[in-house]
């Protein structure tokens, strides 16, 4: 590994997006100190198209509150089109979301959605209820905002104009009085994608939603365990879920594998606890895992590799 960051001085890197093998985009800012409550930050955009050897300073965003909030998430679908989402700034069970868009690689940024808890957002905007995840896009126009809800219906809003307007995405979702959770969709092609969800019902397993038409329609299958777990799909058929099953004698041995888009699952029974770890497979055999928050039953934080699926 080698350092490939731009010269940003006293700024902190707050979000990074990798577009392809050579292109990366990042945002940096001087985060206000705790004694400057309410201070606004200037966020600077940087771009590299040669693997981080050279970086170009692009545009900036001003008057953005970063103090005490999540750092935000950066999502680029190609070298030009990207979005920066900041969630938080809300009350228990509800959260605001602010979404900024660029269509020129970060030279100019525009706010396309600003959802406050109060006042209530207008029609065609992301509603205030539920604790939202950052926006996730599949192409220059279509993206989703998902969330965890303490009650009421599931939360999944879709846009087809780059984030300017949003509507509820229709899902065959079980009715539950215990709330719900939807995770950001993951796509392996322009048509094939998947998403973890949970209706919150005690004893019920999580659901894996699958689309083969770019997110227009979704079908679901049950996963082996409750509550959304770590998900990684290699293609439309092969995927992994790390987490504990409903009734596991040794929950640390749960890494579930599917080769038929989630219709059936097999426990690979790994030799360590992967519950909560991020996963990234590049073939059906070669993959990596990382747990930034190790538990007493897991090894210290480290990069793990498997060569046998």
């Amino acid at each position: 590994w080698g350092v490939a960051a731009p010269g940003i001085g006293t700024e902190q890197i707050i979000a990074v997006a990798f577009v392809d093998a050579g292109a990366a985009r990042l945002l940096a800012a001087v985060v206000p100190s705790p004694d400057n409550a309410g201070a606004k930050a200037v966020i600077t955009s940087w771009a590299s198209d040669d693997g981080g050897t050279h970086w170009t300073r692009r545009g900036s965003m001003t008057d953005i509150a970063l103090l005490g909030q999540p750092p935000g998430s950066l999502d680029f679908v190609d070298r030009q089109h990207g979005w920066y989402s900041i969630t938080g700034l809300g009350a228990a069970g509800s959260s605001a979301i602010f979404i900024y868009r660029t269509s020129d690689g970060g030279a100019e940024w525009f706010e396309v959605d600003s959802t406050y808890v109060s006042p209530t957002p207008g029609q065609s905007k992301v509603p205030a209820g539920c604790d939202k995840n950052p926006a996730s896009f599949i192409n220059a126009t279509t993206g989703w905002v998902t969330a965890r809800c303490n009650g009421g219906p599931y939360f999944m809003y879709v846009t087809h104009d780059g984030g300017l307007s949003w509507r509820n995405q229709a899902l065959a979702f079980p009715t539950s009085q215990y709330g719900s959770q939807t995770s950001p969709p993951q796509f392996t092609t322009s048509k094939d994608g998947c998403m973890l969800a949970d209706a919150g019902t005690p004893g019920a397993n999580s659901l894996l939603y699958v689309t083969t038409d770019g997110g227009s329609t979704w079908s679901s299958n049950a996963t082996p365990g409750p509550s959304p777990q770590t998900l990684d799909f290699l293609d439309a058929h092969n995927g992994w879920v790390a987490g504990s099953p409903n009734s596991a004698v040794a929950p640390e041995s749960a890494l579930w594998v599917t080769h038929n888009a989630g219709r059936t699952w097999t426990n690979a029974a790994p030799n360590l606890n992967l519950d909560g770890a991020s996963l990234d497979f590049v073939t059906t055999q070669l993959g990596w895992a990382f747990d930034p928050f190790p538990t007493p039953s897991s090894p210290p934080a480290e990069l793990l590799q498997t060569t046998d699926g």
Side-chain angles (χ1 to χ4, degrees), residues 4 21-24 48-55:
S48 175
D49 290 328
D50 58 7
T53 301
H54 301 93
W55 291 85

Side-chain angles (χ1 to χ4, degrees), residues 27 43 45 59-62 64 74-76 80-86 97-114 125 135 137 161-166:
L27 298 176
I43 299 178
S45 178
S60 61
M61 293 174 276
T62 59
I64 297 176
L74 190 62
D75 183 23
F76 270 80
Q80 301 301 317
H81 298 90
W83 293 262
Y84 177 55
S85 302
I86 304 176
I97 186 170
F98 303 92
I99 304 174
Y100 301 83
R101 180 180 69 177
T102 181
S103 57
D104 55 13
E108 291 186 288
W109 292 86
F110 302 94
E111 185 180 79
V112 292
D113 193 279
S114 56
K125 293 299 181 181
F137 281 78
D161 55 14
L164 293 172
S165 62
W166 299 81

Side-chain angles (χ1 to χ4, degrees), residues 8 40 69-70 84 146 155 170 175 201 213 256:
I8 57 176
K40 305 294 185 177
Q69 305 302 329
Y84 177 55
T146 56
F155 191 106
T175 301
T201 305
D213 57 11
W256 298 91

Side-chain angles (χ1 to χ4, degrees), residues 1-27:
W1 295 86
V3 176
I8 57 176
T10 59
E11 295 183 339
Q12 301 177 35
I13 296 175
I14 59 173
V16 181
F18 297 95
V19 186
D20 52 49
R25 303 291 183 262
L26 69 78
L27 298 176

